Amino acid sequence: MSTALMIALAFCLVGFFCVVAVAVGIPGTWLLLAVAVGLELGDVYWLAPGAETFGWTAIGLAAAAAGLGELLELLAGVLGSKAGGGSRRASWGALIGGIVGAVLGTPLLPLIGTLIGALVGTFVGAYAGEVTGPRPKAGKEAVKPAIAATLARVLSTVAKLGIALLVWVGLSAAAFLAL
């Protein structure tokens, strides 16, 4: 078996676990890109001079897609809150709550704590934004924007998982096409 084929197969296996990591809130797409960059930089050592495993264009496109996934996830709570009739304060609460929840959830519940924390934080942040401030809403009225923000966060996580899958398949295909 050639070195290039072994690299491609190993990348596919590692990539699968990176995609699974995204599903539980770990930045698997970025880990996958880090592996791809490392392999591309090492091509001169294990492949023929001038040979590429992926090519920098494929890695650049994959990085752009990963960046889009991060942006979607970051803004999801904000956009969801607005779609649910929430105030600017609720949008900021959803954004900050999602980040804080993800950070706090990670050590509390390894693997899925990041995702659960982000969802709970998005809801709590949007809700808190609605029930506080100069024109607070009643508790019942504040639930709709909080639920909308949380649902948007769930949808963005699904979209981010799809982007991770796309990055994995695209880079894997590039590796096999380079054989």
Side-chain angles (χ1 to χ4, degrees), residues 3-4 7 37-53:
T3 304
I7 290 170
V37 167
L39 288 172
E40 195 66 25
L41 290 172
D43 282 346
V44 296
Y45 299 107
W46 46 71
L47 297 178
E52 296 180 323
T53 300

Side-chain angles (χ1 to χ4, degrees), residues 102-129:
V103 170
L104 294 178
T106 301
L108 293 176
L109 194 58
L111 293 181
I112 62 169
T114 305
L115 180 61
I116 292 170
L119 294 175
V120 170
T122 298
F123 181 88
V124 170
Y127 184 84

